[in-house]
Coordinates of all heavy atoms in Angstrom, one line a residue:
Y25 N 18.5 -0.7 -2.7 CA 18.4 -1.0 -1.2 C 18.8 0.2 -0.4 O 19.9 0.8 -0.6 CB 19.3 -2.2 -0.9 CG 19.1 -2.8 0.5 CD1 18.3 -3.9 0.7 CD2 19.8 -2.2 1.6 CE1 18.1 -4.4 2.0 CE2 19.6 -2.7 2.9 CZ 18.7 -3.8 3.1 OH 18.5 -4.3 4.3
V26 N 18.0 0.5 0.6 CA 18.3 1.6 1.5 C 18.3 1.1 2.9 O 17.3 0.6 3.3 CB 17.3 2.8 1.3 CG1 17.7 4.0 2.2 CG2 17.4 3.3 -0.1
C27 N 19.4 1.3 3.6 CA 19.4 0.8 5.0 C 18.3 1.6 5.9 O 18.3 2.8 5.8 CB 20.7 1.0 5.6 SG 22.0 -0.1 4.9
G28 N 17.5 0.9 6.5 CA 16.4 1.5 7.3 C 16.8 1.7 8.7 O 17.9 1.3 9.2
N65 N 14.9 -2.0 4.9 CA 14.6 -2.9 6.1 C 14.2 -2.1 7.3 O 14.4 -0.9 7.4 CB 15.9 -3.7 6.4 CG 17.0 -2.8 6.9 OD1 17.5 -1.9 6.1 ND2 17.4 -3.0 8.1
T67 N 15.5 -2.7 11.2 CA 16.3 -3.5 12.1 C 15.5 -3.6 13.4 O 15.3 -2.6 14.2 CB 17.6 -2.8 12.4 OG1 18.4 -2.9 11.1 CG2 18.4 -3.5 13.5
W206 N 24.6 -6.8 13.2 CA 23.8 -5.9 12.4 C 24.1 -5.9 10.9 O 23.2 -5.9 10.0 CB 24.0 -4.5 13.0 CG 23.5 -3.4 12.2 CD1 22.3 -3.3 11.5 CD2 24.1 -2.1 12.0 NE1 22.1 -2.1 10.9 CE2 23.2 -1.3 11.2 CE3 25.3 -1.5 12.4 CZ2 23.5 0.0 10.8 CZ3 25.6 -0.2 12.0 CH2 24.7 0.5 11.2
H207 N 25.4 -6.0 10.5 CA 25.8 -5.9 9.1 C 25.3 -7.0 8.3 O 24.9 -6.8 7.1 CB 27.3 -5.9 9.0 CG 28.0 -5.0 10.0 ND1 27.7 -3.6 10.0 CD2 28.9 -5.2 11.0 CE1 28.4 -3.1 11.0 NE2 29.1 -4.0 11.6
E209 N 22.6 -8.6 8.4 CA 21.1 -8.4 8.1 C 20.9 -7.9 6.7 O 20.2 -8.4 5.9 CB 20.5 -7.4 9.1 CG 20.4 -7.9 10.6 CD 19.8 -6.9 11.5 OE1 19.3 -5.8 11.0 OE2 19.9 -7.1 12.7
C210 N 21.6 -6.8 6.5 CA 21.4 -6.1 5.2 C 21.9 -6.9 4.0 O 21.3 -6.9 3.0 CB 22.1 -4.7 5.2 SG 21.2 -3.6 6.3
S211 N 23.1 -7.6 4.2 CA 23.6 -8.4 3.1 C 22.6 -9.5 2.7 O 22.3 -9.7 1.6 CB 24.9 -9.1 3.6 OG 26.0 -8.2 3.5
M213 N 19.2 -9.6 3.5 CA 17.9 -9.1 3.0 C 18.0 -8.5 1.6 O 17.1 -8.6 0.8 CB 17.3 -8.0 4.0 CG 16.9 -8.7 5.3 SD 16.1 -7.6 6.5 CE 17.5 -6.8 7.3
H225 N 22.9 1.0 -3.7 CA 22.8 0.8 -2.3 C 23.0 2.1 -1.6 O 23.9 2.8 -2.0 CB 23.9 -0.2 -1.8 CG 23.6 -0.8 -0.4 ND1 23.3 -2.1 -0.2 CD2 23.5 -0.2 0.8 CE1 23.1 -2.3 1.1 NE2 23.2 -1.1 1.7
A226 N 22.1 2.5 -0.7 CA 22.2 3.8 -0.2 C 22.0 3.9 1.3 O 21.5 3.0 1.9 CB 21.2 4.7 -0.9
L231 N 27.1 5.6 7.6 CA 27.0 4.1 7.4 C 28.2 3.6 6.5 O 28.4 2.4 6.4 CB 25.7 3.7 6.8 CG 24.5 4.0 7.6 CD1 23.2 3.4 6.9 CD2 24.6 3.3 9.0
H235 N 29.6 0.0 8.5 CA 28.4 -0.9 8.1 C 28.5 -1.3 6.6 O 28.4 -2.4 6.3 CB 27.1 -0.1 8.4 CG 25.9 -0.9 8.1 ND1 25.7 -2.2 8.6 CD2 24.8 -0.7 7.3 CE1 24.5 -2.6 8.2 NE2 24.0 -1.7 7.4
H236 N 28.6 -0.3 5.7 CA 28.6 -0.6 4.3 C 29.8 -1.3 3.8 O 29.8 -2.2 3.0 CB 28.3 0.6 3.4 CG 26.9 1.1 3.6 ND1 26.4 2.3 3.1 CD2 25.8 0.4 4.0 CE1 25.1 2.4 3.4 NE2 24.7 1.3 3.9
E239 N 29.2 -4.8 4.8 CA 28.2 -5.4 3.9 C 28.9 -5.9 2.6 O 28.6 -7.0 2.1 CB 27.1 -4.4 3.6 CG 26.0 -4.3 4.6 CD 24.9 -3.5 4.1 OE1 24.5 -3.7 2.9 OE2 24.4 -2.5 4.8
W255 N 27.1 3.3 -4.9 CA 26.8 3.5 -3.5 C 26.6 5.0 -3.3 O 27.4 5.9 -3.6 CB 28.1 3.1 -2.7 CG 28.2 1.6 -2.6 CD1 28.8 0.8 -3.6 CD2 27.7 0.7 -1.6 NE1 28.7 -0.5 -3.2 CE2 28.0 -0.6 -2.0 CE3 27.0 1.0 -0.4 CZ2 27.7 -1.7 -1.2 CZ3 26.7 -0.1 0.4 CH2 27.1 -1.4 0.0
Ligands
LIG1 ZN1 22.3 -1.7 6.2

Side-chain angles (χ1 to χ4, degrees):
Y25 188 97
V26 180
C27 292
N65 66 297
T67 292
W206 171 39
H207 316 301
E209 293 177 10
C210 289
S211 281
M213 293 186 276
H225 195 116
L231 297 183
H235 186 54
H236 287 165
E239 279 190 44
W255 287 83

